[in-house]
Amino acid sequence: MNEEIEQEAERLIARHGTQAVAVANECVERARASGDMRAYDAALMVLTTIERSQQTS
């Protein structure tokens, strides 16, 4: 699953650039609102990966 998380984070960064964190945060909120805990966990991992990536850039 880690590879999938990394790939999704990279895709969002490539597509949205500096707005990737905001887009990922929207995904987190949608997943939370839907009650899908697996999607929520995955979205949080993607968000965290993007945030870490931008801190090291």
Side-chain angles (χ1 to χ4, degrees), residues 3-41:
E3 186 174 322
E4 292 171 356
I5 297 298
E6 292 285 337
Q7 288 175 347
E8 180 63 12
E10 289 172 7
R11 185 187 70 78
L12 287 174
I13 292 168
R15 185 170 185 186
H16 299 285
T18 59
Q19 295 299 313
V21 169
V23 172
N25 200 28
E26 290 174 13
C27 292
V28 168
E29 290 305 314
R30 279 195 307 270
R32 184 191 57 77
S34 76
D36 184 344
M37 296 313 292
R38 284 185 183 219
Y40 179 65
D41 288 343

Side-chain angles (χ1 to χ4, degrees), residues 41-54:
D41 288 343
L44 281 173
M45 287 187 277
V46 170
L47 175 60
T48 301
T49 301
I50 292 169
E51 289 173 334
R52 287 182 182 159
S53 171
Q54 290 186 348

